[in-house]
Amino acid sequence: TAAEIIAFLLTISGWVLVSSTLPTDYWKVSTIDGTVITTATFWANLWKTCVTDSTGVSNCKDFPSMLALDGYIQACRGLMISAVCLGFFGAVFGLVGMKCTKVGGSDQTKAKIACLAGLIFILSGLCSMTSCSLYANRITSEFFDPSFVAQKYELGAALFIGWAGASLCIIGGSIFCFSIAENSNSPRRGYAYNGATSVMSSRTKVHNSVPEKTPPKHFDKNAYV
């Protein structure tokens, strides 16, 4: 039960971190490498691109068309939304499958539900980690490409939050999966069947087990004649 509670806390924390990366602004931030004077800072996420000038005023522009976006941004959007949805269903199955809750049926059934929740959380973590890694790979490939002359970016804080949340989901989901193995290895109590006994036989055993206490008889000498 303690392991399942720890797994549930880890997975919920990871799911919250993964969910918080979607509205986070700083997925990538413009680099200042090789720049002497910085007059503006460019940053972007999965939904918009923004620029902040030296006075602190930010101007943002939403992506006008989803179909006109780059393929990696569309893939990252789908993976992150899938991760959030899978985490929600994993949390529901995790609550039902935990031993400390009163729903879900027998212990074996609850163990199977907890294992299913663990698999869902592992899949959610893999989706989030794949999305963040794909986005980071695009940033690093453009940064180290000498032929790329456009604005270069560095990794934003949202990517590290997504990686941390994905790791927590995978670790907690693995603990949930091990719960079904612990349940199957638990010893079962055996009961011996001695057969049915009748009421008369039990009474006879009780009667035979109790010694007869009869008062001693004193006979006169005329009784032997």
Side-chain angles (χ1 to χ4, degrees):
T1 304
E4 289 182 350
I5 293 175
I6 294 174
F8 185 75
L9 292 177
L10 289 176
T11 51
I12 290 299
S13 301
W15 178 57
V16 171
L17 290 177
V18 170
S19 301
S20 65
T21 58
L22 279 176
T24 303
D25 294 329
Y26 298 100
W27 277 67
K28 61 180 181 180
V29 184
S30 60
T31 181
I32 59 175
D33 182 48
T35 304
V36 179
I37 300 175
T38 304
T39 58
T41 301
F42 297 90
W43 45 274
N45 57 7
L46 298 178
W47 315 101
K48 60 185 177 180
T49 179
C50 301
V51 58
T52 303
D53 57 14
S54 58
T55 60
V57 178
S58 299
N59 294 319
C60 296
K61 178 182 179 182
D62 295 333
F63 294 137
S65 175
M66 184 183 69
L67 299 178
L69 290 176
D70 295 333
Y72 78 99
I73 296 181
Q74 297 182 8
C76 291
R77 280 184 178 182
L79 289 172
M80 291 303 297
I81 294 173
S82 300
V84 173
C85 295
L86 288 172
F88 173 77
F89 289 107
V92 174
F93 285 113
L95 283 175
V96 175
M98 294 176 66
K99 294 181 180 179
C100 57
T101 58
K102 296 183 179 180
V103 293
S106 61
D107 291 341
Q108 294 181 354
T109 304
K110 292 173 74 67
K112 293 179 181 179
I113 297 175
C115 182
L116 178 61
L119 293 176
I120 293 175
F121 273 118
I122 291 175
L123 186 59
S124 173
L126 290 177
C127 289
S128 175
M129 187 167 291
T130 304
S131 175
C132 295
S133 300
L134 181 62
Y135 200 90
N137 180 58
R138 182 60 178 263
I139 296 174
T140 54
S141 62
E142 291 179 353
F143 184 86
F144 293 107
D145 187 6
S147 61
F148 186 77
V149 295
Q151 176 65 50
K152 294 185 178 181
Y153 293 88
E154 293 184 356
L155 304 180
L159 297 177
F160 298 98
I161 296 174
W163 281 325
S167 301
L168 291 178
C169 288
I170 293 173
I171 294 172
S174 301
I175 298 175
F176 266 130
C177 291
F178 289 145
S179 63
I180 189 172
E182 294 176 358
N183 195 345
S184 61
N185 294 331
S186 60
R188 297 181 179 179
R189 295 181 180 179
Y191 298 95
Y193 179 72
N194 296 326
T197 56
S198 61
V199 179
M200 296 299 296
S201 61
S202 60
R203 290 181 179 178
T204 305
K205 291 180 181 179
V206 173
H207 180 72
N208 294 332
S209 61
V210 178
E212 295 181 358
K213 296 182 179 180
T214 57
K217 295 181 181 180
H218 300 281
F219 298 97
D220 194 8
K221 63 181 180 179
N222 296 326
Y224 297 95
V225 178

